[in-house]
Amino acid sequence: MDTRSDAESSSFLSLSAALSYGIASMAMVFINKAILMQYTHSMTLLTVQQLATALLIHFGRQMGYTKAKEIDITTAKRLLPVSLFYNANVAFALASLKGVNIPMYIAIKRLTPLAVLIAGFFSGKGKPTTQVTLSVLLTAAGVIVAAMGDFSFDLFGYSMALTSVFFQTMYLVLVEKSGAEDGLSSVEIMFYNSFLSLPFLLFLIIATGEFPNSLSLLFAKSNSFSFLVILLLSLVMGIALNYTMFLCTIVNSALTTTIVGVLKGVGSTTLGFVLLGGVQVHALNVTGLVINTAGGMWYSYAKYNQKKNKPPKLMLDLEAHRK
């Protein structure tokens, strides 16, 4: 009886984590696009988001709201490469949103599974199933077709999005291979990630010339109530997205997190045509996005079937992260 209730609670936790991540991820794309339409300094925005996360967790720990442990040097060294890849992924993704419309941004980000498969092939992980291979190739073909019909094609924006895919792939592969996040709660991973990223991000905003003008502009724009609301939403949703992403990865897997990211893109692509503007509809573009979305859904279905045929290990994963 206890085993059955444990399994049910684990299934509920897995589903809740996946749904929460999907909703937070979808909302964050639109919030970031909205704020970057008014404030183009993406690196400064990311720095402020990470600083807010680190301070919130720090004071939450001081006041007893969270049981996150103090910074451990050994753990910090282990997580440093993971943090750098993660923040590079987010930084380039934000930069791409300045020039790429949301449907195309989502389409390009769906190339992550293809990049993960290529990285796995070169690292000797083994050959993927036929369905997985065909689905990621269909996804990639959809991006090419959609790009050919994109009236608002922005080479810089496309380059930034593709670079973001590269760093996201490196992040996922590194987490899987190193087990760097094993034994840590999602709040602790968030804290280490934010804390370790701050020196790197501060160096970047100074080296790129964003600082100090970006900070002056941020304070000046904060006089606008509408901008302040979007900025606060961006900070809150940034924290929510990081938490739900790390929680989803812990209670499920990096694979599930990637699949949820692909599936939420279906809703984001649809809404992207009607919200925030900037999308000029062309038959070739729409056709490519449909092909890309179909490939993403096929990939998710293929990976779901592949995982279903393996023995469940959720409880083992949960126990490992509780140690």
Side-chain angles (χ1 to χ4, degrees):
M1 190 74 177
D2 288 341
T3 305
R4 184 178 176 183
S5 62
D6 284 346
E8 286 175 353
S9 63
S10 296
S11 298
F12 177 75
L13 181 60
S14 298
L15 182 62
S16 300
L19 283 175
S20 300
Y21 169 62
I23 293 168
S25 182
M26 188 187 298
M28 196 61 186
V29 172
F30 289 93
I31 292 169
N32 278 336
K33 180 69 174 179
I35 197 169
L36 287 169
M37 288 170 72
Q38 300 182 53
Y39 181 78
T40 58
H41 299 293
S42 55
M43 291 288 189
T44 303
L45 177 63
L46 178 57
T47 305
V48 172
Q49 288 175 346
Q50 295 291 33
L51 180 62
T53 302
L55 289 175
L56 182 68
I57 296 174
H58 172 71
F59 287 116
R61 185 177 59 204
Q62 296 293 320
M63 297 169 70
Y65 289 117
T66 176
K67 295 178 180 178
K69 298 171 186 174
E70 293 283 347
I71 291 286
D72 175 71
I73 298 299
T74 305
T75 305
K77 286 179 180 177
R78 194 176 77 218
L79 284 172
L80 182 59
V82 173
S83 177
L84 292 179
F85 279 127
Y86 171 79
N87 282 281
N89 161 39
V90 178
F92 281 103
L94 284 173
S96 72
L97 277 171
K98 289 188 283 186
V100 178
N101 62 59
I102 288 177
M104 279 310 305
Y105 167 80
I106 296 295
I108 295 169
K109 291 293 281 183
R110 283 202 193 104
L111 293 175
T112 302
L114 174 61
V116 170
L117 285 185
I118 294 171
F121 175 79
F122 283 108
S123 63
K125 194 175 180 181
K127 187 180 177 182
T129 64
T130 303
Q131 280 207 41
V132 168
T133 303
L134 291 175
S135 65
V136 295
L137 289 176
L138 185 66
T139 303
V143 172
I144 295 169
V145 173
M148 289 168 64
D150 185 8
F151 283 126
S152 59
F153 182 85
D154 184 292
L155 182 60
F156 176 79
Y158 272 66
S159 301
M160 292 298 98
L162 288 169
T163 307
S164 171
V165 168
F166 168 77
F167 281 114
Q168 185 177 3
T169 302
M170 292 300 100
Y171 164 76
L172 290 170
V173 170
L174 189 60
V175 167
E176 185 178 1
K177 278 194 166 293
S178 68
E181 296 176 353
D182 289 352
L184 297 171
S185 70
S186 52
V187 174
E188 286 170 338
I189 296 170
M190 276 177 67
F191 185 62
Y192 274 104
N193 183 58
S194 301
F195 178 79
L196 292 170
S197 69
L198 286 173
F200 169 68
L201 291 172
L202 286 170
F203 169 77
L204 279 182
I205 62 173
I206 294 170
T208 56
E210 277 198 16
F211 183 83
N213 292 337
S214 59
L215 205 56
S216 304
L217 182 62
L218 186 64
F219 284 124
K221 281 193 167 287
S222 295
N223 292 325
S224 164
F225 179 74
S226 60
F227 177 81
L228 195 59
V229 168
I230 297 173
L231 178 62
L232 289 174
L233 271 175
S234 171
L235 296 178
V236 171
M237 288 308 300
I239 294 168
L241 175 59
N242 283 337
Y243 176 77
T244 54
M245 184 190 72
F246 291 131
L247 181 66
C248 185
T249 303
I250 286 174
V251 301
N252 293 299
S253 66
L255 169 64
T256 304
T257 305
T258 305
I259 290 174
V260 172
V262 169
L263 290 177
K264 64 90 184 173
V266 178
S268 299
T269 300
T270 306
L271 290 173
F273 278 105
V274 294
L275 296 180
L276 302 179
V279 183
Q280 294 175 284
V281 180
H282 184 282
L284 201 59
N285 186 240
V286 173
T287 302
L289 290 171
V290 170
I291 293 170
N292 177 268
T293 302
M297 294 179 72
W298 185 12
Y299 169 81
S300 300
Y301 176 74
K303 294 304 286 187
Y304 171 76
N305 281 337
Q306 188 178 325
K307 189 178 180 184
K308 190 172 69 172
N309 293 329
K310 291 182 180 179
K313 63 166 193 168
L314 174 61
M315 292 307 295
L316 294 174
D317 285 347
L318 278 170
E319 290 303 318
H321 281 91
R322 283 173 183 161
K323 288 178 183 175

